[in-house]
Amino acid sequence: MTPKPQTTPDKDSLHDLELTISQILRGGVLFAGIFLLTGWVWMWLRDGDNLQSFTVYEPRPFVENIQWALVMNDRALLIAQFGLVVLVCLPLVRVLMTAILFLKQKDKGLAVMALTVFVALVGSFLLGIDL
């Protein structure tokens, strides 16, 4: 019988961080899905078939949708939009946590690349916001 190889605390902590990243992403998708589904079902129960209003595409800025929902006290839309924001932010969280993982592994090159991707993602989100 051969003894089991001992893992170092570093490997255990890295494995724990990878597991945490996985759990956060899985939980985030579930959390976002619950909010999206809740908002959509609430809108459907309140208004009936909302798809009829989509016969003509009318682009509106995200901020305008939120302001309108706040003014009209449309909680269903706010809940659905919150779920959407959470879902869109998950890739940002993934890239940032991966950069942290690379830093803990002392792999500075990959950490710099991951942080560069993070900055590019944040920049693309900010440039895409139509205020």
Side-chain angles (χ1 to χ4, degrees), residues 7-16:
T7 57
T8 63
D10 277 343
K11 286 185 180 181
D12 286 341
S13 66
L14 292 176
H15 177 71
D16 290 344

Side-chain angles (χ1 to χ4, degrees), residues 11-98:
K11 286 185 180 181
D12 286 341
S13 66
L14 292 176
H15 177 71
D16 290 344
L17 183 57
E18 289 173 355
L19 186 60
T20 301
I21 292 170
S22 172
Q23 290 171 338
I24 287 172
L25 293 176
R26 187 175 295 122
V29 169
L30 183 62
F31 184 76
I34 289 170
F35 272 84
L36 282 166
L37 184 63
T38 302
W40 291 340
V41 168
W42 188 352
M43 284 189 276
W44 178 70
L45 290 173
R46 182 191 64 205
D47 301 331
D49 187 11
N50 284 336
L51 296 179
Q52 292 176 358
S53 66
F54 290 113
T55 56
V56 177
Y57 177 67
E58 297 175 23
R60 275 187 265 154
F62 178 74
V63 174
E64 186 179 309
N65 281 338
I66 298 300
Q67 288 172 343
W68 182 85
L70 289 170
V71 168
M72 299 303 290
N73 200 22
D74 188 352
R75 291 186 182 128
L77 180 60
L78 289 171
I79 288 171
Q81 294 289 338
F82 178 72
L84 185 63
V85 167
V86 170
L87 194 62
V88 167
C89 287
L90 285 175
L92 290 173
V93 172
R94 171 65 169 140
V95 171
L96 183 61
M97 291 186 80
T98 301

